[in-house]
Amino acid sequence: MDKRACGGRTAQWLGRARYGRDRFGIQSVLLGDIDGDGKVDLLTHSYSEGILAVCLNTSSSGRIDTNSFAPRVEFPCGPHAARMALGDLNGDGKLDVAVPNEDEGTVSVLINRSMPGVIEFAPRVVFITDHAPLHVGIQTWMVVACPIS
């Protein structure tokens, strides 16, 4: 193994952890601090089950292994969920989730109500689209007004 790829240290494989259960596979894996504790949590969702799963990061500083994430907490996100996106949609500083529902022709939005150590989302809000969406994106914009001189 090339030690340069690991900052001069030898990497060690610590094992395998399974976070999804869908027979069609996990559609997306995203990382983001969902509960606001400063640690990056793991989010997955299944295509056929329409379930968003969040695994809270319980790691200690400097170590990630197969015990670093709490058991999954599940939230319904709509049927045939395609590739999800994270972003603060309502300006409260928390990462919300948007999930396109391909066969339903909708996008589901789950507003984050979590606090440190507790994962919670409001029930999904459904937006109808013209076509079968496969992807969504969330972009944060900042508008700055400057006087014209």
Side-chain angles (χ1 to χ4, degrees):
M1 171 178 286
D2 186 350
K3 289 186 178 185
R4 290 175 296 174
C6 300
R9 298 175 301 211
T10 303
Q12 178 183 5
W13 179 254
L14 297 174
R16 176 181 171 178
R18 196 172 163 92
Y19 295 103
R21 64 176 190 210
D22 189 348
R23 67 186 178 121
F24 293 104
I26 292 174
Q27 200 66 21
S28 295
V29 175
L30 292 176
L31 300 171
D33 183 8
I34 298 301
D35 66 339
D37 66 353
K39 296 179 183 178
V40 177
D41 305 306
L42 175 70
L43 293 88
T44 66
H45 82 278
S46 64
Y47 179 79
S48 62
E49 292 178 331
I51 298 293
L52 166 69
V54 181
C55 299
L56 191 65
N57 186 337
T58 59
S59 67
S60 56
S61 182
R63 180 168 176 87
I64 293 284
D65 59 27
T66 56
N67 297 313
S68 294
F69 293 93
R72 54 194 269 148
V73 179
E74 296 181 344
F75 302 91
C77 65
H80 299 113
R83 287 160 184 76
M84 65 181 167
L86 287 176
D88 182 6
L89 294 171
N90 60 356
D92 66 356
K94 297 179 180 183
L95 293 175
D96 306 306
V97 180
V99 182
N101 305 110
E102 181 182 6
D103 290 349
E104 195 176 64
T106 63
V107 172
S108 296
V109 172
L110 289 87
I111 298 298
N112 187 350
R113 294 183 176 169
S114 302
M115 36 187 155
V118 178
I119 300 296
E120 182 183 348
F121 285 93
R124 74 182 182 121
V125 178
V126 179
F127 297 92
I128 297 172
T129 64
D130 287 338
H131 301 286
L134 291 175
H135 303 277
V136 292
I138 299 172
Q139 178 67 50
T140 304
W141 294 90
M142 182 173 71
V143 177
V144 178
C146 298
I148 299 174
S149 45

